[in-house]
Amino acid sequence: LEFSDMSKVYPNLDRSMVERTTKWLLSRRDGKGGFKRDSKALDSFGAASPEVTNAYIAYALSEAGGHDLAPELAALRPVATGGKDPYVVALATLTLINSKAAGAADGARHLMSLAGSTGNFPGADHSITRSGGLSLEVETTAFATMALMKAADTGVLTRGDVEAPVRAAIDWLNKSRSGLGGFGATQGTVLAIKAMNQYEEFARRTDAAGTIELRIN
């Protein structure tokens, strides 16, 4: 996922390294929609639940593109359309959208139903990095926002379907920024920035009114 992102701005990325990494991840598939894990993993990444780990890896592979993820999509479809954890639901929905798979629209609609009253997406148990507190809520809200914008941009849903919850989520993320420019832990900060960058492009194609405030010095 990191190197797929990097390739968008760095043309000399070693593609063979990306292919080796992807091939290894694909070799760890268990044939049931999940991925085999090493029980001796010692860091916090290894402590994430199978549900979170499987969803995150499938999402990463779908972002890289060009892979047949049929078993993983079959496993994630009921999660996207009926899951209770918004972090996992957002990852599952993004994977379905990236893969142009059935269930993407239902997943996006279900994801919207998990939004809180202030625009955030609360209630996740943990993230791939075992985040908690504000950072977990930021990560979850960022992923959910990116999923809803991508749903509109790809025609899975209409812009009118998602504009209100997306705007509310972006407002919530803005209010969650610390005085030092971060959004909790590193993972939350990176995802919040990604969501806001995506929103800048998304908002440019809307008729909604807005205000720009410029502060100098």
Side-chain angles (χ1 to χ4, degrees), residues 52 56 85-92 124 126-128 136 139-140 143:
V52 168
Y56 195 91
D85 188 307
Y87 181 87
V88 182
V89 171
L91 290 175
H126 64 279
S127 70
I128 189 66
L136 174 59
E139 291 173 43
T140 304
F143 270 134

Side-chain angles (χ1 to χ4, degrees), residues 172-194:
W172 184 87
L173 286 171
N174 267 315
K175 293 174 183 176
S176 301
R177 182 190 287 110
S178 72
L180 298 176
F183 298 80
T186 303
Q187 184 84 180
T189 299
V190 168
L191 291 174
I193 292 171
K194 286 187 69 171

Side-chain angles (χ1 to χ4, degrees), residues 6-25:
M6 195 181 297
S7 67
K8 298 172 186 176
V9 295
Y10 181 65
N12 298 321
L13 189 76
D14 184 353
R15 296 303 309 177
S16 62
M17 176 269 297
V18 178
E19 291 166 5
R20 287 195 306 271
T21 305
T22 302
K23 184 178 179 180
W24 184 85
L25 284 172

Side-chain angles (χ1 to χ4, degrees), residues 156-182:
V156 170
L157 295 181
T158 69
R159 292 183 63 85
D161 290 331
V162 307
E163 277 181 346
V166 164
R167 179 68 244 185
I170 291 293
D171 285 343
W172 184 87
L173 286 171
N174 267 315
K175 293 174 183 176
S176 301
R177 182 190 287 110
S178 72
L180 298 176

Side-chain angles (χ1 to χ4, degrees), residues 2-98:
E2 175 185 0
F3 294 119
S4 294
D5 281 348
M6 195 181 297
S7 67
K8 298 172 186 176
V9 295
Y10 181 65
N12 298 321
L13 189 76
D14 184 353
R15 296 303 309 177
S16 62
M17 176 269 297
V18 178
E19 291 166 5
R20 287 195 306 271
T21 305
T22 302
K23 184 178 179 180
W24 184 85
L25 284 172
L26 291 170
S27 76
R28 300 297 299 169
R29 295 196 290 182
D30 63 9
K32 303 175 184 178
F35 296 84
K36 301 172 186 175
R37 300 195 300 161
D38 189 337
S39 61
K40 299 188 296 296
L42 299 178
D43 61 6
S44 60
F45 287 78
S49 68
E51 292 77 16
V52 168
T53 303
N54 292 339
Y56 195 91
I57 296 173
Y59 160 67
L61 289 169
S62 74
E63 283 285 311
H67 312 295
D68 180 7
L69 301 174
E72 291 73 30
L73 295 173
L76 289 175
R77 194 169 292 116
V79 176
T81 57
K84 305 299 183 185
D85 188 307
Y87 181 87
V88 182
V89 171
L91 290 175
T93 299
L94 275 166
T95 305
L96 294 179
I97 294 171
N98 287 342

